[in-house]
Amino acid sequence: MEAKKRLQAGTKSVWAGEKEYLVHGATQVPVVHSVAYNYDDIDEWYEVAIGKRKGHIYGRNTNPTVQSFEDKVKILEHAEAATSFSTGMAAISNSLLTILKPGDRVVSIKDTYGGTNKIFSEFLPRLNIEVELVETGNHEEMEREIAKGCNLVYLETPTNPTVKITDIVRITKAAKKVGALVFVDNTFATPINQNPLTLGVDLVIHSATKFLGGHADALGGVVCGSESLVKDIYHYREINGATMDPMAAYLILRGMKTLKLRVEKQQENAMKVAQFLEDHEKIEQVYYPGLQTHTNHEIAKKQMKGFGGMLSFALKGELDAVRQFLPKLEYAHRAANLGAVETTVGPARTTSHVENTPEERAALGIPEGLVRYSAGIEDIDDLLNDLKQALDEIKSH
Ligand SMILES: *Cc1c(COP(=O)(O)O)cnc(C)c1O
């Protein structure tokens, strides 16, 4: 057990959470598609059903392949427990609805993921839950709002798409003072770069669709935290039904074996792309927490092991320039996804913030000419050459 604790993230990515689920001497976790489980002994069946004995009853509750995935993430996030979902949004909504009730108050930031933002602006207010969204990165304002009293502080760092950073330790301290829980969406950082639970946070959330899976072929979500909090969230999910599919669990589990390798390569590429773009005459601004020029570079350095594979940049000439530039990229999918082995790009207005109006995006500090760039694992020279030729295609005004 002690030896296990000292294991590093790369080794955990490969080995953690699998042993218990291997059968027939197989070296890989099987995909168990069975919906239900047979018991010849009805007393044993009953004991499993009431949780007195280990085992599986029905696929909406638990599944061995899905549990193996949960165990791997749990160990990577230094958590007591983890439970999974059909998508990242299901993980977020189910976790919120497990703990919140009418009359509660939530403090969060303005530029959470678009879907999360919609839960805050559209669905929670319907339940008479008050949501206060503060300027991302304005720690003083956030502390003031938290001090007024709240039940939950919800963070996402780095954010999507302008990769803003919030100081997790500082905000968690403020939350604890008023007895609020703290949730952190750790999708962009991945467990390789950031473990919010070790910084005092109560729940870590991932869209497993992105970096965890890494191959853009399976949807999933997962949350990690204390035994008691995760048990409550699991209960909400088993009844409400946003269960992860065993095939998705298998694909993401397989993808996770290379998580550290991929993230290291992606952030190495992201850094070089950011540096290249920063010096380019057709670029207005580059957003990457690894750059000295990033507003919260120092906080990122303090709480992250690496700066991640996500960046964004604003082209001079706004949307017109984006229209000319994006189709010319050869080695990038123009798609509403991120964290995959292939470089993936898209304008914020069709990806992370498609649900918002141009006015709302402007208020959020998202220029119409903003391009989100998820660095893949390609060779950097090819990515830079590709960017260079595509930028050359933009006709100056
Ligand atoms: C994609 C994403 C989500 C939502 O995940 P889905 O799997 O698409 O439901 C949540 N948070 C962040 C930061 C994301 O990038």
Side-chain angles (χ1 to χ4, degrees):
M1 211 47 224
E2 270 310 299
K4 225 179 217 157
K5 269 191 188 146
R6 283 195 299 274
L7 277 187
Q8 294 184 35
T11 313
K12 287 178 182 173
S13 303
V14 177
W15 288 97
E18 299 196 11
K19 202 164 185 177
E20 190 182 329
Y21 304 96
L22 300 175
V23 286
H24 308 302
T27 61
Q28 303 303 318
V29 174
V31 193
V32 179
H33 282 299
S34 186
V35 161
Y37 299 78
N38 176 71
Y39 291 91
D40 291 339
D41 179 337
I42 63 157
D43 294 321
E44 184 192 341
W45 187 3
Y46 179 69
E47 284 184 4
V48 173
I50 63 170
K52 258 182 92 176
R53 187 198 275 249
K54 269 195 152 183
H56 303 279
I57 298 285
Y58 185 64
R60 175 155 41 74
N61 314 116
T62 64
N63 169 282
T65 315
V66 171
Q67 272 187 347
S68 180
F69 159 71
E70 292 168 348
D71 285 358
K72 197 186 272 296
V73 181
K74 172 182 87 178
I75 292 166
L76 274 161
E77 284 289 14
H78 306 267
E80 274 177 28
T83 193
S84 61
F85 300 86
S86 52
T87 64
M89 281 317 302
I92 294 166
S93 61
N94 282 234
S95 299
L96 291 171
L97 294 171
T98 298
I99 66 144
L100 294 172
K101 55 185 188 318
D104 280 354
R105 182 166 183 266
V106 179
V107 176
S108 187
I109 50 173
K110 275 188 183 160
D111 53 353
T112 45
Y113 177 74
T116 310
N117 192 271
K118 277 287 157 191
I119 295 181
F120 289 152
S121 60
E122 188 177 339
F123 296 107
L124 291 188
R126 276 194 206 172
L127 304 173
N128 193 24
I129 295 164
E130 188 190 333
V131 183
E132 184 68 39
L133 302 181
V134 309
E135 209 62 55
T136 312
N138 186 339
H139 292 82
E140 289 77 18
E141 189 191 351
M142 190 154 220
E143 284 167 337
R144 270 198 306 278
E145 286 303 330
I146 292 169
K148 287 180 190 166
C150 62
N151 308 83
L152 173 71
V153 175
Y154 186 99
L155 299 177
E156 191 181 313
T157 178
T159 58
N160 191 356
T162 48
V163 283
K164 292 197 181 102
I165 305 286
T166 299
D167 189 329
I168 297 175
V169 169
R170 178 172 170 181
I171 295 303
T172 300
K173 232 176 246 163
K176 295 294 139 186
K177 261 190 216 153
V178 298
L181 290 174
V182 182
F183 290 4
V184 173
D185 184 332
N186 206 29
T187 301
F188 270 34
T190 81
I192 301 301
N193 285 328
Q194 183 170 277
N195 296 124
L197 294 175
T198 66
L199 304 176
V201 160
D202 298 288
L203 193 78
V204 166
I205 304 172
H206 284 280
S207 166
T209 314
K210 314 291 172 54
F211 289 95
L212 296 186
H215 294 74
D217 56 4
L219 291 160
V222 61
V223 304
C224 307
S226 70
E227 202 79 66
S228 67
L229 179 57
V230 170
K231 191 168 164 238
D232 290 348
I233 297 171
Y234 161 75
H235 179 62
Y236 187 94
R237 192 269 287 154
E238 72 167 336
I239 300 304
N240 287 281
T243 307
M244 175 178 264
D245 182 77
M247 193 63 206
Y250 170 78
L251 288 167
I252 298 169
L253 193 60
R254 181 161 100 154
M256 281 185 72
K257 296 205 180 210
T258 55
L259 178 64
K260 190 172 180 211
L261 279 178
R262 284 187 280 109
V263 169
E264 282 178 349
K265 181 66 179 169
Q266 284 164 323
Q267 62 197 13
E268 188 187 314
N269 282 349
M271 185 64 156
K272 287 181 177 152
V273 165
Q275 287 167 338
F276 164 74
L277 292 173
E278 205 177 27
D279 293 333
H280 200 283
E281 58 181 18
K282 291 186 180 166
I283 301 293
E284 186 75 45
Q285 196 171 352
V286 181
Y287 306 85
Y288 185 61
L291 293 177
Q292 304 275 345
T293 50
H294 187 281
T295 323
N296 285 322
H297 174 65
E298 290 306 319
I299 301 171
K301 233 164 67 179
K302 183 183 75 170
Q303 69 189 19
M304 301 175 77
K305 291 193 194 79
F307 299 111
M310 297 301 303
L311 62 126
S312 62
F313 51 93
L315 292 169
K316 286 180 186 164
E318 298 263 309
L319 208 50
D320 207 30
V322 176
R323 267 197 200 98
Q324 297 174 59
F325 165 78
L326 275 190
K328 295 295 188 316
L329 287 173
E330 258 187 273
Y331 302 105
H333 286 307
R334 283 151 289 269
N337 188 32
L338 59 95
V341 288
E342 300 94 358
T343 292
T344 308
V345 295
R349 66 174 211 139
T350 47
T351 55
S352 58
H353 287 73
V354 65
E355 291 97 347
N356 300 103
T357 63
E359 293 72 29
E360 283 173 333
R361 283 191 291 272
L364 293 171
I366 298 166
E368 293 296 280
L370 193 80
V371 174
R372 185 176 76 181
Y373 191 95
S374 170
I377 61 166
E378 301 90 343
D379 291 300
I380 186 63
D381 289 344
D382 295 327
L383 292 183
L384 294 182
N385 285 334
D386 198 25
L387 283 165
K388 222 174 282 177
Q389 62 80 22
L391 285 165
D392 285 346
E393 293 293 324
I394 304 173
K395 308 277 178 288
S396 317
H397 295 272

